[in-house]
Amino acid sequence: AVLVTDHGAWYAVAEPVKVVSAVGAGDSALAGYLLARLDGAEDADALARAVAYGTACVLLPGANVPQPEQAAAVTVLVSSLTA
């Protein structure tokens, strides 16, 4: 995933996982991003949480929503793309 703001640009990738279902992964990623922003997270940290929630979602069957502890268990690497 990539996030570009007025403050910079970042790329985030999660550890490889075995996908069970992709239903709701995008919605979960957005929810993770918004939760992080509500918690006061900076851009890169909000992107990391978005990717963690989206990744945690694909580990669940059907349209299940990941819990915070499931998202927290996902390893996400964020790199700056700003020159």
Side-chain angles (χ1 to χ4, degrees):
V2 174
L3 175 65
V4 179
T5 72
D6 292 343
H7 303 107
W10 299 266
Y11 170 76
V13 62
E15 62 186 315
V17 298
K18 184 176 187 220
V19 175
V20 175
S21 172
V23 174
D27 293 332
S28 292
L30 177 57
Y33 180 82
L34 295 174
L35 286 169
R37 287 312 219 168
L38 288 172
D39 287 344
E42 296 294 329
D43 294 329
D45 292 331
L47 176 60
R49 197 173 322 175
V51 172
Y53 268 81
T55 302
C57 182
V58 303
L59 297 171
L60 302 172
N64 288 298
V65 177
Q67 297 300 305
E69 59 273 7
Q70 292 169 311
V74 175
T75 301
V76 178
L77 176 64
V78 178
S79 303
S80 175
L81 298 176
T82 307

